[in-house]
């Protein structure tokens, strides 16, 4: 199967195949290390642990990038409207 | 996304065939087809007795507001009932959600993202049963206590400050216990699932949805479908990685893994050539942006009154313009598109702002990737540093919440940081961020017009109105039109708008499709990006300097504006929020 090297726009040479697969494996290993070693360790640091605990307790999706993806935003909006509208 | 064969550049003439041959227009048609389907499915099927239930809840809320100076048990129950009225909870909404659902969250076993056996589900239920029973007991006890304490306060006509305070504390304890019970309940009611057939189904549906447009744009349909299959599989892999509990808590969601995963493949083993045909970044992203437009409901900017509007709508454009000028005049950024994309994602709302702005000014894929990567890294840092600092300084939760909402990029991180300040802090932070989200419509439109009229022309050149029209990225029209139509519908529906549109057509359908389209776009970006091109933009670390300087200005101005608005000009709003 022909493959394109996005850096050059040329087809990948056969000789670079092994290096490519090694690179891919290393990249995946890096993601695994981040998810299972670095970030869990970081989550336990004294400064970070309380915030991470608050996220875990409230089951917040910290990766939500838009307000409709966050259930908390809908509740917050309702609360705020009532608080400043009727009180 | 520019300087690439896949970009359709408008030339100085108009042809009617553009309406069905150019991706900008196709994105509009496809986006509106989805919105029309959503409207047709949800609007004729409201929850039973919706009007009566809303009226009943509103009557209780109003009566309780009159009765006590704090939110009573009855107020909370009525509010819960009102919040629970959602078209997405109806059978048709649940069916759609099931078909469109993404891989599940998981902690240790990635297979649980796709499949959970009945025996494993039973084991989870069994392990959670005792905790749920305990949580339920605590909620019942907390409610009984709250009822007793509130009755004492009621006996004094809610005139005794101490009794009111005691009732308020007891009610808060009940609400906290209820929240814990709800979390325990979801574990205790874990059901077995197999998402694979649904994912295959949705892949086929989306493939068929996008293929006719790809053919009209001159792509080979067979090659497009082959490539699409691979892009979709990469998107699923990214969803699985982004659903991991630790990564999710840090805010590193699926989008970043779609880009990184694609880049990893593209820059190591290489992207097979046939995939290029299916990796139609612009096509997916613009269709997603038209759907995003429908979620920009202008009525929402009034949610927290003038104070919120000022914090979100005065500071944000000021910081955007100043950061852009700083990037051009002081840092002398080589790329104006990178400058505006980074400036916009830093001061408006992170990922979504970066996507909309990059598409409006035709930034390159690498520029968008840089903006997103920096936004996610700095967001993770700020999500921890900012609330820790606010709490350490003993800052008022309303001030802290407004500061967080106005400065941290993404909504999820804002909610997470706000939660650290307590309920009021989180509510204020989330609401300010929502108001700021709405601004992206105006920003994208402004950037598109500015780029057509000023940037994409030679110095001193006068650009005619028709020339601006030829150059204008037409999908922005669909984006704005969707926003206007849905804003008008939302306002005209009154209280029903939240249940039927916000929690029906939008959150129950178009949003889920939009999330799919964005992740397909990001997987496509990754598969066609290269590290070397990206490294060029990092020369001298200018994007990082731009982000840091812009964010520093944002922090200072937002804090100042929040203080002036919530403590000097509108202190009554702060008082109401705290009550």
């Amino acid at each position: 199967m022909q493959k394109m090297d996005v850096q050059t726009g040329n087809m990948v040479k056969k000789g670079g195949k092994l290096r490519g697969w090694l690179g891919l494996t290393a990249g995946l290993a890096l993601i695994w290390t981040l998810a299972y070693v670095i970030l869990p360790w970081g989550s336990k640091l004294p400064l970070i642990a309380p915030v991470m605990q608050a996220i875990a307790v409230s089951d917040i999706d910290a990766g939500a990038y838009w307000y409709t993806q966050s259930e908390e935003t809908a509740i917050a909006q309702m609360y705020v409207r009532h608080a400043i509208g009727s009180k | 996304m520019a300087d690439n064969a896949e970009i359709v550049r408008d030339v100085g003439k108009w042809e009617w065939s553009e309406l069905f041959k150019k991706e900008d227009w196709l994105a509009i048609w496809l986006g509106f087809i989805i919105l029309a389907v959503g409207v047709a499915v949800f609007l004729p099927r409201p929850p039973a007795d919706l009007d009566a239930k809303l009226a009943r809840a509103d009557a209780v809320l109003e009566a309780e507001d009159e009765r006590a100076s704090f939110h009573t048990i009855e107020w909370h129950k009525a509010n819960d009932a009102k919040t629970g009225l959602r078209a997405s909870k109806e059978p048709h909404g649940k069916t759609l959600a099931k078909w469109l659902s993404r891989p599940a969250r998981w902690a240790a076993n990635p297979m649980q993202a796709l499949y959970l056996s009945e025996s494993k589900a039973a084991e989870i239920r069994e392990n959670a049963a005792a905790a749920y029973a305990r949580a339920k007991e605590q909620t019942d006890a907390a409610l009984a206590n709250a009822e007793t304490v509130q009755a004492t306060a009621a006996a004094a006509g809610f005139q005794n400050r101490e009794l009111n305070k005691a009732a308020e504390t007891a009610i808060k304890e009940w609400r906290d216990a209820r929240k814990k019970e709800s979390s325990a309940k979801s574990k205790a009611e874990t059901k077995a699932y197999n998402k694979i057939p649904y994912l295959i189904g949705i892949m086929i549906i989306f493939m068929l949805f996008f293929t006719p447009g790809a053919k009209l744009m001159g792509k080979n349909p067979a090659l497009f479908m082959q490539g699409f299959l691979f892009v979709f599989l990469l998107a699923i892999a990214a969803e699985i990685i982004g659903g991991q509990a630790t990564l999710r808590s840090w805010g590193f969601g699926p989008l970043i893994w779609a880009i990184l995963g694609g880049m990893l493949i593209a820059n190591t083993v290489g992207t097979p050539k046939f995939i290029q045909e299916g990796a139609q970044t612009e096509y997916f992203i613009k269709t997603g942006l038209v759907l995003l437009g429908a979620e920009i409901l202008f009525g929402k900017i009034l949610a927290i009154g003038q104070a919120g509007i000022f914090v979100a709508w005065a500071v944000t454009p000021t910081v955007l313009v100043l950061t852009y000028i700083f990037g051009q005049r002081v840092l002398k950024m080589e790329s104006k598109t990178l400058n505006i994309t980074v400036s916009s994602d830093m001061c408006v709302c992170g990922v979504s702002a970066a996507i909309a702005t990059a598409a409006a000014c035709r930034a390159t894929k690498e520029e968008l990737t840089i903006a997103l990567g920096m936004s996610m890294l700095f967001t993770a840092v700020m999500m921890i540093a900012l609330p820790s600092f606010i709490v350490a300084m003993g800052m008022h939760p309303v001030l802290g919440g407004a500061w967080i909402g106005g400065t941290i990029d993404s909504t999820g991180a804002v909610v997470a940081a706000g939660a650290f300040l307590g309920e009021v802090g989180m509510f204020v932070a989330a609401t300010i961020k929502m108001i700021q989200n709405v601004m992206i419509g105006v920003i994208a439109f402004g950037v598109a017009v500015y780029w057509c009229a000023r940037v994409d022309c030679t110095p001193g050149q006068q650009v005619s109105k028709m020339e601006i029209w030829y150059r204008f990225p037409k999908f922005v029209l669909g984006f704005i039109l969707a926003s206007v139509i849905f804003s008008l519908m939302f306002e005209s529906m009154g209280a029903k708008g939240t249940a039927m549109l916000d929690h029906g057509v939008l959150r129950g359908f178009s949003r889920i499709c939009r999330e799919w389209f964005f992740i397909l776009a990001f997987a496509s970006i990754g598969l066609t990006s290269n590290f070397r091109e990206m490294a060029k933009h990092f020369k001298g670390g200018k994007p990082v300097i731009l982000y840091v300087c812009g964010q520093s200005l944002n922090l200072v101005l937002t804090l100042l504006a929040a203080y002036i608005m919530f403590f000097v000009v509108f202190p009554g709003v702060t008082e109401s929020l705290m009550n």
Side-chain angles (χ1 to χ4, degrees):
Chain A
M1 186 184 296
Q2 274 194 313
K3 289 174 185 173
M4 195 183 82
D5 179 350
V6 289
Q7 294 185 2
T8 59
N10 300 328
M11 291 303 129
V12 172
K13 288 176 188 169
K14 277 187 179 173
K17 214 173 177 182
L18 180 65
R19 213 172 56 178
W21 282 103
L22 283 174
L24 183 62
T25 310
L28 292 173
L30 201 67
I31 294 173
W32 185 90
T33 312
L34 189 72
Y36 285 96
V37 182
I38 300 170
L39 293 180
W41 170 79
S43 301
K44 289 177 191 151
L45 293 175
L47 182 72
I48 299 170
V51 179
M52 286 296 156
Q53 210 174 345
I55 293 171
V57 167
S58 304
D59 193 27
I60 294 165
D61 180 3
Y65 56 88
W66 186 253
Y67 81 92
T68 52
Q69 289 169 267
S70 161
E71 173 59 26
E72 291 82 3
T73 311
I75 298 166
Q77 183 200 345
M78 192 82 89
Y79 173 90
V80 168
R81 272 190 196 274
H82 275 298
I84 66 167
S86 57
K87 290 251 173 198
Chain B
M1 285 184 275
D3 304 325
N4 185 317
E6 73 195 46
I7 299 297
V8 179
R9 278 212 173 275
D10 292 315
V11 289
K13 61 175 183 175
W14 167 260
E15 284 174 11
W16 287 101
S17 62
E18 285 182 14
L19 291 173
F20 53 88
K21 279 187 178 169
K22 287 198 171 181
E23 68 203 350
D24 278 55
W25 289 106
L26 287 166
I28 295 176
W29 309 139
L30 293 182
F32 273 90
I33 285 173
I34 287 178
L35 293 172
V37 168
V39 167
V41 169
F42 283 96
L43 292 199
R45 298 172 184 83
D49 303 324
L50 178 64
D51 288 321
K53 284 176 183 169
L54 281 172
R56 218 160 33 235
D58 282 335
V60 174
L61 290 171
E62 204 175 316
E64 290 302 305
D65 277 337
E66 290 292 321
R67 194 162 81 101
S69 60
F70 58 89
H71 292 150
T72 60
I73 296 168
E74 291 75 16
W75 188 96
H76 280 291
K77 284 183 175 173
N79 193 41
D80 290 341
K82 190 178 175 182
T83 312
L85 287 169
R86 295 172 175 194
S88 58
K89 283 187 178 175
E90 295 299 296
H92 53 278
K94 284 180 180 170
T95 307
L96 275 176
K98 195 173 181 180
W99 272 93
L100 290 169
S101 79
R102 301 183 305 169
R105 299 163 186 174
W106 57 281
N109 178 7
M111 266 314 287
Q112 282 187 8
L114 301 174
Y115 178 77
L116 187 70
S117 66
E118 182 47 48
S119 60
K120 185 68 190 167
E123 192 186 319
I124 296 171
R125 283 198 297 269
E126 204 178 308
N127 291 340
Y132 174 47
R134 218 168 28 248
K136 200 169 178 314
E137 222 169 80
Q138 283 168 353
T139 307
D140 291 343
L143 177 59
N145 178 50
E147 281 170 345
T148 310
V149 180
Q150 185 182 297
T152 313
F158 292 113
Q159 297 301 314
N160 185 314
R161 189 181 276 257
E162 279 180 21
L163 290 177
N164 287 352
K165 190 79 202 158
E168 220 176 323
T169 308
I171 290 169
K172 190 182 178 306
E173 283 168 3
W174 163 57
R175 300 299 294 174
D176 290 343
R178 198 174 166 276
K179 211 170 166 185
K180 281 180 192 159
E181 184 201 329
S182 164
S183 166
K185 189 182 176 189
S186 63
K187 275 186 191 156
E189 291 181 350
T190 302
K191 286 179 185 161
Y193 54 79
N194 180 5
K195 289 181 179 277
I196 297 168
Y198 296 103
L199 289 171
I200 293 172
I202 200 64
M203 182 193 70
I204 294 169
I205 291 169
F206 284 152
M207 190 191 280
L208 296 175
F209 180 69
F210 281 114
T211 301
K215 188 176 185 308
L216 287 169
M217 285 192 293
K219 311 286 173 197
N220 180 323
L223 283 179
F224 173 80
M225 287 198 270
Q226 280 179 46
F228 184 91
L229 174 71
F230 190 89
V231 174
F232 194 87
L233 288 176
L234 178 60
I236 297 289
E239 287 281 0
I240 293 173
I241 298 172
Q244 203 265 349
T246 310
L247 294 173
R248 196 169 153 264
S249 296
W250 280 84
F252 299 134
L255 290 187
I256 194 72
W257 301 113
I259 294 186
L260 287 178
M263 286 180 75
L264 194 60
I265 293 168
N267 293 274
T268 54
V269 292
T271 305
K273 207 180 174 196
F274 73 89
I275 291 173
Q276 305 280 323
E277 202 76 358
Q280 295 298 322
T281 306
E282 298 274 324
Y283 189 27
F284 303 139
I285 221 164
K286 287 174 181 174
T287 309
L289 279 167
V290 173
L291 296 181
L292 187 80
E295 295 171 48
I296 298 175
L297 303 171
F298 278 94
K300 295 212 179 249
I301 64 171
L302 299 169
I304 199 167
Q306 290 155 298
I309 294 175
F310 188 85
V311 172
W313 279 58
V315 175
T316 305
T318 307
V319 175
L320 174 67
V321 171
L322 291 177
T323 307
Y324 178 73
I325 292 171
F326 175 78
Q328 289 310 119
R329 300 209 178 149
V330 181
L331 292 179
K332 304 204 182 299
M333 300 273 294
E334 282 81 12
S335 166
K336 287 181 179 178
T337 47
L338 176 62
N339 185 357
I340 193 69
T341 307
V342 171
S343 301
S344 171
D345 97 39
M346 176 276 298
C347 70
V348 188
C349 47
V351 172
S352 39
I355 297 170
T357 311
C361 70
R362 295 169 172 168
T364 64
K365 291 187 290 280
E366 286 77 16
E367 288 169 344
L368 176 58
T369 306
I370 288 170
L372 291 175
M374 283 199 309
S375 172
M376 287 193 178
L377 278 178
F378 281 105
T379 297
V381 173
M382 283 182 67
M383 180 179 79
I384 290 154
L386 201 54
S388 303
F389 176 77
I390 289 167
V391 169
M393 297 301 290
M395 200 179 279
H396 195 286
V398 171
L399 181 61
W403 198 23
I404 284 171
T407 52
I408 294 182
D409 288 351
S410 76
T411 304
V414 163
V415 171
F420 195 60
L421 310 187
E423 202 170 56
V424 174
M426 189 269 271
F427 286 164
V428 173
T431 311
I432 292 281
K433 180 49 69 183
M434 182 186 70
I435 298 170
Q436 211 180 35
N437 276 185
V438 175
M439 188 175 223
I440 191 58
V442 180
I443 300 273
F445 184 76
V447 167
V449 172
Y450 181 72
W451 242 252
C452 294
R454 294 289 172 89
V455 180
D456 281 345
C457 53
T458 51
Q461 182 194 356
Q462 283 293 315
V463 184
S464 69
K465 282 178 187 164
M466 282 314 289
E467 189 63 26
I468 291 175
W469 165 248
Y470 297 142
R471 293 177 183 183
F472 192 78
K474 309 296 186 301
F475 83 91
V476 175
L477 298 176
F479 176 69
I480 298 293
L481 189 64
S483 173
V484 171
I485 291 173
F486 275 77
S487 294
L488 291 174
M489 283 171 74
F490 186 72
E491 292 308 312
S492 68
M493 290 172 82
K496 281 201 293 187
T498 303
M500 299 300 297
L501 274 187
D502 196 356
H503 290 284
V505 182
L506 301 179
R507 292 189 199 233
F509 183 55
S510 72
R511 183 207 76 185
I512 314 175
C513 293
R514 191 252 303 155
E515 285 176 18
W516 274 115
F517 300 163
F518 277 173
I519 196 147
L520 290 171
F522 280 60
S524 305
I525 288 175
L527 287 166
T528 50
S529 293
N530 69 75
F531 289 139
R532 210 173 291 171
E533 182 63 30
M534 208 170 288
K536 279 184 203 162
H537 290 293
F538 266 108
K539 205 174 154 191
K542 285 181 183 177
V544 179
I545 298 170
L546 180 75
Y547 191 100
V548 171
C549 292
Q551 190 60 278
S552 304
L553 176 69
N554 197 17
L555 282 164
V556 172
L557 287 187
T558 305
L559 180 62
L560 190 67
Y563 179 77
I564 292 170
M565 286 294 118
F566 286 101
F567 289 88
V568 179
V569 184
F570 300 107
V573 169
T574 308
E575 204 179 311
S576 299
L577 288 166
M578 291 310 289
N579 279 341

